[in-house]
Amino acid sequence: MKKECSESEVRIKAEAYCSVAERCRSEVAQKLWQWGAPAEASILKHLEAENYVDENRYAIAFVRDKYRFSQWGRIKIIHALRMKHISESDIKEGLEHIDEEEYLSILNDLLSRKKRTVKASNDYERNGKLIRFAAGHGYELDDILSCLKQQGCGDEYME
């Protein structure tokens, strides 16, 4: 059973929750619901007014962290942000903060590490496994193919 808290107690708790890490509106709403918060809409409005919650800032931080540290591609990042109910304009702005050179370098490193562990009888099979692996991480096919060509992975299969 949820313990009922006053609105001021929940507001202070929510401010502390948002101060620890960047949070989106849906995460905060979920947490408020778990806490059994009365009038969660007013608390969310307060958090947004005081800049504890900012969807745009969240999208930028989420994109940066996921492509750098989790090595996710654009497609997977977009889907994750949509699951958190982030607006398309905020998603687009977050994706604009991706450094293309760094992004492709991360993909290149990811593919070269995976290439060492893939067991395949020929180049065609190996490249198929590498493409599926990178696509599973959310990278676009054009970027995957350009990195594989750059690594010299059976160019005759890449056309």
Side-chain angles (χ1 to χ4, degrees):
M1 185 169 161
K2 296 177 189 171
K3 178 187 165 215
E4 287 294 320
C5 299
S6 71
E7 188 172 336
S8 63
E9 289 174 335
V10 173
R11 183 176 290 173
I12 291 168
K13 202 172 180 180
E15 288 173 355
Y17 176 69
C18 293
S19 296
V20 172
E22 206 57 66
R23 309 282 183 194
C24 69
R25 186 176 174 81
S26 63
E27 288 175 341
V28 175
Q30 175 71 23
K31 194 55 87 170
L32 291 172
W33 180 82
Q34 287 175 353
W35 292 336
E40 69 181 54
S42 67
I43 295 172
L44 273 172
K45 286 179 185 173
H46 164 75
L47 293 173
E48 288 174 341
E50 296 294 323
N51 264 343
Y52 284 102
V53 175
D54 183 351
E55 299 275 299
N56 190 357
R57 190 177 65 214
Y58 176 81
I60 291 168
F62 186 89
V63 168
R64 183 187 58 240
D65 290 350
K66 291 302 177 186
Y67 92 85
R68 282 188 181 155
F69 303 120
S70 299
Q71 299 178 333
W72 285 9
R74 283 186 184 91
I75 296 169
K76 192 168 183 175
I77 292 170
I78 290 169
H79 287 298
L81 287 171
R82 285 181 182 157
M83 295 284 292
K84 293 178 179 286
H85 307 291
I86 305 296
S87 72
E88 291 298 320
S89 61
D90 289 336
I91 293 172
K92 185 178 178 187
E93 187 169 338
L95 292 174
E96 288 172 0
H97 285 80
I98 291 178
D99 178 11
E100 195 63 31
E101 192 173 304
E102 182 181 11
Y103 180 80
L104 292 175
S105 171
I106 290 169
L107 173 59
N108 210 359
D109 292 344
L110 189 70
L111 287 171
S112 64
R113 282 196 317 268
K114 183 65 177 175
K115 191 165 97 174
R116 287 183 240 142
T117 63
V118 169
K119 291 178 175 59
S121 58
N122 57 37
D123 285 346
Y124 183 77
E125 186 180 339
R126 183 194 65 224
N127 289 342
K129 289 181 178 186
L130 290 172
I131 290 169
R132 281 191 297 280
F133 172 77
H137 277 263
Y139 289 94
E140 300 92 343
L141 185 59
D142 293 340
D143 292 338
I144 298 168
L145 293 177
S146 70
C147 283
L148 287 176
K149 282 182 183 178
Q150 184 181 356
Q151 293 179 7
C153 291
D155 292 333
E156 66 273 8
Y157 298 119
M158 297 295 186
E159 275 119 48

